[in-house]
Amino acid sequence: MALRVKAGIEKVPGGLMLVPLLVGAVIHTVAPGAGEYFGSFTGALFTGLPPILGVFYVCLGATLDLKARPYIAKKGGTLLGSKIAFAAIVGIVLGRFLGEAPISGGLLAGMSVLAVVAALSDTNGGLYMSLMGQFGRNRDVGAYSVMSLESGPFLTMLILGIAGLSAFPWQALVGAILPLALGMLLGNLDPAMRKFLAPAVPALVPFLGLTLGLTINLTAVWQAGLLGIGLGLFVVLIGGAVLLLADKLTGGDGIAGLAAATTAGNAAVVPTIVAQANPAYAPAAESATVLVASSLVVTAILCPIITVLWARLVLKQPVGGSREAEATFAPDLHPHLDHVPADTGETALEAAHVRVVDDTAPDRSQDDDRTRTPDRRSGTDPAGDPMDQRPGRIVGGDRSKGEADA
């Protein structure tokens, strides 16, 4: 009798990262010396976060396509730039008052610039693609291929440096982005390498969560409490307002901006990596990790609600309708919500099961609105669940052109 362990874990927002992280935290809290006691490969899980992350970012980089079409590059660049700029402004302001260390007492005890910047500067890609596949233009789904550049500690280090806090040596900055750059090089030079490396991305996520959890004491989780919820609210409400404005100023309708107002699952590993690169941030790393993980859960719950309400207002149609693609089946939304950014191991469009046939028309609503639904997936998707039977969507203008592009 098979137990649906994976399906159960994925019912938790960001579960593939958060559940192993919680398991690791329980082990570390109850038996903090377990790693040294067992040693060998088991002990390596307690201290092996950097090498696992290095492999993760190489594989993730291979999924990023440098041949982004102009619209995708514009949309993704706008959202990416807005998130970085907002995180930098917040980091500069907070840095003037807090410095590198966390707040030591009061209601905000444990809050730090590191926690806020890490939570703001990385997007939950699976959630973004899910929402845009249902409510936005299909081309907006592909914008995440550009936004994926925010993954990892590089931008957080850069923003903290801009904020005037402790600087990082150039070797640490370059070292933080080299694995991602190597993966991008391999994936864009040889599509076969992309197909080979991409499936490893989702498989590595639980190991990242477990290894990270093995560095966390659960007493810090209790202390985070409402503070983590507050950080999540700040990301989805204030950050969402900024991204909505940026989206509208560049010709969008704001849906993509709101859908990007989240915290990524792998952002939880950033404080630890930053502290390893610069010990000045070590006192803030543990509490920052917990706060970022809390922000992930809060934004994963609230962001879809806010985006749905805004989409209903903007599109003036029932929830689930779409201007460019057939409505996503209601149950289809939930598997997507379990993706942590870029954990699908697919390109952005593949992850949302949308293939653009003709995105050159300035207004897709004037097309003949011909859509067709291919057969449901069967067999195995190298980056997904072999049992996944979610429908794909092909948004079409010209059939022959779509087949040629495939």
Side-chain angles (χ1 to χ4, degrees):
M1 177 179 175
L3 296 178
R4 298 180 61 84
V5 176
K6 182 172 179 288
I9 292 176
E10 288 179 338
K11 290 181 180 179
V12 180
L16 287 178
M17 167 69 77
L18 287 180
V19 173
L21 185 149
L22 180 60
V23 171
V26 170
I27 295 173
H28 180 69
T29 304
V30 175
E36 296 179 1
Y37 180 80
F38 288 103
S40 189
F41 303 118
T42 301
L45 286 175
F46 287 72
T47 58
L49 184 61
I52 296 176
L53 270 175
V55 175
F56 175 82
Y57 286 121
V58 170
C59 297
L60 174 62
T63 69
L64 306 183
D65 190 356
L66 294 178
K67 299 177 182 178
R69 300 185 182 188
Y71 178 89
I72 291 175
K74 175 185 175 183
K75 177 68 70 173
T78 296
L79 298 178
L80 175 64
S82 299
K83 292 207 74 165
I84 295 173
F86 180 59
I89 292 172
V90 173
I92 291 171
V93 173
L94 292 180
R96 294 291 179 267
F97 298 96
L98 302 183
E100 298 88 352
I103 297 176
S104 58
L107 293 176
L108 299 180
M111 181 61 73
S112 63
V113 180
L114 175 60
V116 177
V117 172
L120 284 173
S121 56
D122 204 346
T123 302
N124 187 326
L127 179 53
Y128 169 82
M129 291 185 290
S130 170
L131 291 171
M132 294 313 300
Q134 183 172 11
F135 298 112
R137 293 182 173 88
N138 52 6
R139 295 173 294 172
D140 290 345
V141 176
Y144 186 68
S145 62
V146 178
M147 297 163 63
S148 294
L149 293 171
E150 66 194 4
S151 298
F154 174 76
L155 287 178
T156 299
M157 291 181 183
L158 190 62
I159 291 170
L160 291 173
I162 294 173
L165 302 176
S166 293
F168 295 87
W170 69 267
Q171 297 94 331
L173 288 172
V174 174
I177 202 172
L178 270 181
L180 190 71
L182 175 61
M184 292 174 63
L185 180 65
L186 292 173
N188 284 274
L189 287 178
D190 185 3
M193 287 298 296
R194 173 177 296 159
K195 292 181 179 179
F196 173 70
L197 294 172
V201 176
L204 286 170
V205 171
F207 295 98
L208 288 176
L210 176 64
T211 305
L212 179 62
L214 290 169
T215 67
I216 297 175
N217 191 306
L218 285 178
T219 56
V221 178
W222 175 257
Q223 293 171 356
L226 294 177
L227 194 59
I229 297 175
L231 178 59
L233 290 173
F234 180 77
V235 172
V236 76
L237 296 179
I238 308 303
V242 171
L243 291 171
L244 183 148
L245 179 61
D247 191 12
K248 290 185 70 66
L249 289 176
T250 53
D253 51 25
I255 299 176
L258 288 176
T262 54
T263 297
N266 61 12
V269 305
V270 169
T272 300
I273 300 302
V274 169
Q276 291 176 349
N278 190 334
Y281 294 96
E286 184 173 357
S287 61
T289 298
V290 176
L291 290 172
V292 172
S294 299
S295 180
L296 160 64
V297 176
V298 173
T299 58
I301 294 172
L302 290 183
C303 180
I305 297 173
I306 295 173
T307 305
V308 165
L309 293 176
W310 179 259
R312 178 185 292 182
L313 176 66
V314 170
L315 303 180
K316 293 181 173 58
Q317 61 182 23
V319 174
S322 173
R323 293 163 294 177
E324 299 186 6
E326 64 178 3
T328 302
F329 291 95
D332 190 39
L333 181 61
H334 300 286
H336 287 294
L337 296 182
D338 299 322
H339 289 82
V340 181
D343 290 351
T344 57
E346 302 168 290
T347 65
L349 292 175
E350 289 171 343
H353 307 294
V354 174
R355 177 154 60 89
V356 179
V357 173
D358 179 16
D359 68 348
T360 59
D363 185 357
R364 300 288 300 173
S365 62
Q366 296 178 2
D367 291 344
D368 56 7
D369 201 29
R370 287 171 292 175
T371 61
R372 53 193 175 92
T373 305
D375 293 338
R376 289 179 176 268
R377 292 185 174 189
S378 59
T380 59
D381 175 354
D385 187 343
M387 301 302 294
D388 191 333
Q389 297 295 315
R390 292 170 293 179
R393 295 188 296 279
I394 298 179
V395 182
D398 181 78
R399 179 187 297 264
S400 61
K401 183 173 186 256
E403 292 172 349
D405 289 344

